Amino acid sequence: MKKLTIVLLALLLIGGMAFADITLTGEASLALQYDLDADEFGMVNGTDTADAEFSFTLDTADASAMGDADVYAVIEMSGSIDVDIDGQDLDEDDVILGDDETGDEISSSVSIDTAKIVGENWEVSILGMDDSLNMATDFQDRDGSDEVDSDDNVVSGAFGTGDGASLTYEDYTVGAFYYDGAYAAYLGTSMEVADGVTVGLGLGFDGAADVSAELAYDMDGTAVTVAVDTADNFADMDVSLATTLDMDGTAVTLDGYFFNDTVAGTDLAVEAGLTLDAVALTVTGSTLITGWDLAVEASTDLNDEIALTVDGSFDNANAWSAGASAVYTVEDYTVTLGGGYTSAGVIDLTATIENTTLIDGATLYLGYEADDFTDVGADATDAKGVVAASVTIAL
């Protein structure tokens, strides 16, 4: 830690450094609570530094050069010096206690972001070529990242290492790589073939073929996209459908995702949504081939202050659940009432009120929560629930 401090101070003394992207997070709380199951009452302190870190960029720089002839070259670079202190418990050697990883560090990075030769309707990149195809996209957050993106796809056409060069001419891109017997090639295009109609195609080859295709229509409130990815000479495949129809305040959506993978197997998921004025209804069917699971959710805003949600689920093992919640939000506080019941006889209940204006910078909370109101007996841990009042100060 001493070495890090000395180096950091030295860097701070160097003139001309621009500080940016400073991040520091954490929170502290004090709760007065009564645990109805344990029959315990008292004050509980809490601090959350699990995600706390102190990081900033000491300095950044970028540079570029460009010719001015009919055919010219372009190169763009960027770099930074970063400091990261992760807030973990450190020993005198700057090592996280119980772990062998360094907790604090000063790091630098530099990258060449663009290097290409440009002509009138074409350009050649000498930084490499595309090495994966992902046109089909799952509508579900399959990898638990809290966002839906191409990483959720079960099938991803991957070829080569991304090395080599690529040539782009108008709507077409061709890439190639070869070294000591290893090779890969890529062809891709995306173009508008009619008003509102776009076609995309990708082909990769490194001994086995990966093929992707996409057809999209978007015009006058109607959008439909169908995409397919295949990998390893069509051994693996996924297909996605995304449809939106918007008509004078009524919106209808239909999404689907099907995959046939040599490792993950075969499955299908479908989701349909209907929004009519202030009411939204969503029906989701997951794992429809290997063991179906249906979920339904309906929500509505009664007015600017009250939002209601009702949901339920049912699966092929005859397990089901149902729940409802109401949220009342005004300028000074938010009240939440909710509960649910499952086929296993589990009842959960929530009644809370929060305020963020009585004390500037702090959240006041009063509530009752029980995860399993019917959990009784000697091993019961959350049958009667917990009543708590707390104040939380967060950064």
Side-chain angles (χ1 to χ4, degrees), residues 27-33 42-48 359 362-366 388-394:
E27 68 177 38
S29 64
L30 173 64
L32 181 65
Q33 72 175 38
M43 292 186 291
V44 178
N45 294 96
T47 58
D48 182 7
I359 301 177
T363 299
L364 301 180
Y365 166 93
L366 175 63
S390 69
V391 55
T392 300
I393 304 172

Side-chain angles (χ1 to χ4, degrees), residues 140 266-270 283-296 312-321 343:
Q140 297 175 310
T266 303
D267 225 323
L268 170 67
V270 177
V283 180
T284 305
S286 303
T287 60
L288 294 177
I289 295 178
T290 58
W292 53 267
D293 186 347
L294 299 179
V296 180
S313 66
F314 184 71
D315 64 24
N316 63 316
N318 294 324
W320 56 268
S321 67
S343 56

Side-chain angles (χ1 to χ4, degrees), residues 24-380:
L24 185 61
T25 60
E27 68 177 38
S29 64
L30 173 64
L32 181 65
Q33 72 175 38
Y34 177 43
D35 190 324
L36 299 172
D37 296 288
D39 193 23
E40 297 175 347
F41 174 78
M43 292 186 291
V44 178
N45 294 96
T47 58
D48 182 7
T49 58
D51 297 325
E53 66 175 16
F54 177 58
S55 64
F56 59 87
T57 300
L58 282 173
D59 204 3
T60 62
D62 55 69
S64 63
M66 179 184 302
D68 57 4
D70 291 339
V71 177
Y72 59 92
V74 178
I75 186 168
E76 296 176 346
M77 298 181 62
S78 60
S80 66
I81 303 174
D82 302 289
V83 175
D84 294 288
I85 303 173
D86 63 8
Q88 300 282 351
D89 234 354
L90 305 179
D91 63 16
E92 62 182 6
D93 295 322
D94 297 340
V95 176
I96 299 175
L97 298 181
D99 198 351
D100 294 330
E101 295 183 6
T102 300
D104 301 345
E105 65 177 2
I106 296 177
S107 60
S108 61
S109 64
V110 62
S111 63
I112 298 177
D113 305 309
T114 302
K116 59 185 179 181
I117 301 170
V118 181
E120 182 178 358
N121 295 318
W122 58 270
E123 62 181 45
V124 175
S125 171
I126 64 172
L127 290 183
M129 66 172 191
D130 288 341
D131 60 357
S132 64
L133 294 170
N134 266 315
M135 292 186 177
T137 303
D138 193 352
F139 66 88
Q140 297 175 310
D141 177 25
R142 193 175 294 271
D143 64 355
S145 63
D146 295 329
E147 64 178 358
V148 177
D149 53 29
S150 60
D151 293 334
D152 296 308
N153 294 4
V154 175
V155 176
S156 174
F159 47 89
T161 61
D163 295 324
S166 63
L167 165 65
T168 299
Y169 177 76
E170 293 185 347
D171 296 325
Y172 300 90
T173 299
V174 178
F177 166 73
Y178 177 84
Y179 184 80
D180 194 28
Y183 65 92
Y186 166 79
L187 169 64
T189 184
S190 179
M191 65 181 71
E192 187 174 9
V193 296
D195 288 344
V197 180
T198 303
V199 174
L201 178 65
L203 171 62
F205 187 79
D206 60 354
D210 300 331
V211 181
S212 287
E214 180 182 80
L215 176 63
Y217 173 79
D218 189 351
M219 183 174 288
D220 299 329
T222 299
V224 180
T225 301
V226 180
V228 57
D229 296 328
T230 69
D232 299 332
N233 295 330
F234 302 95
D236 300 327
M237 178 181 67
D238 65 352
V239 181
S240 68
L241 169 68
T243 303
T244 301
L245 178 60
D246 195 345
M247 303 175 296
D248 298 327
T250 300
V252 179
T253 62
L254 178 63
D255 297 291
Y257 183 71
F258 168 83
F259 65 85
N260 180 29
D261 184 75
T262 52
V263 176
T266 303
D267 225 323
L268 170 67
V270 177
E271 181 174 271
L274 172 64
T275 301
L276 180 60
D277 294 329
V279 179
L281 175 66
T282 303
V283 180
T284 305
S286 303
T287 60
L288 294 177
I289 295 178
T290 58
W292 53 267
D293 186 347
L294 299 179
V296 180
E297 179 179 288
S299 61
T300 184
D301 294 330
L302 294 182
N303 49 48
D304 293 337
E305 300 174 342
I306 301 176
L308 300 178
T309 301
V310 178
D311 59 71
S313 66
F314 184 71
D315 64 24
N316 63 316
N318 294 324
W320 56 268
S321 67
S325 66
V327 179
Y328 177 63
T329 304
V330 291
E331 183 177 355
D332 293 331
Y333 55 88
T334 299
V335 178
T336 301
L337 300 174
Y341 183 74
T342 74
S343 56
V346 175
I347 299 175
D348 67 89
L349 297 172
T350 299
T352 67
I353 180 171
E354 288 186 313
N355 175 278
T356 58
T357 60
L358 287 178
I359 301 177
D360 189 21
T363 299
L364 301 180
Y365 166 93
L366 175 63
Y368 168 79
E369 296 184 52
D371 291 333
D372 187 355
F373 193 73
T374 56
D375 184 14
V376 295
D379 297 330

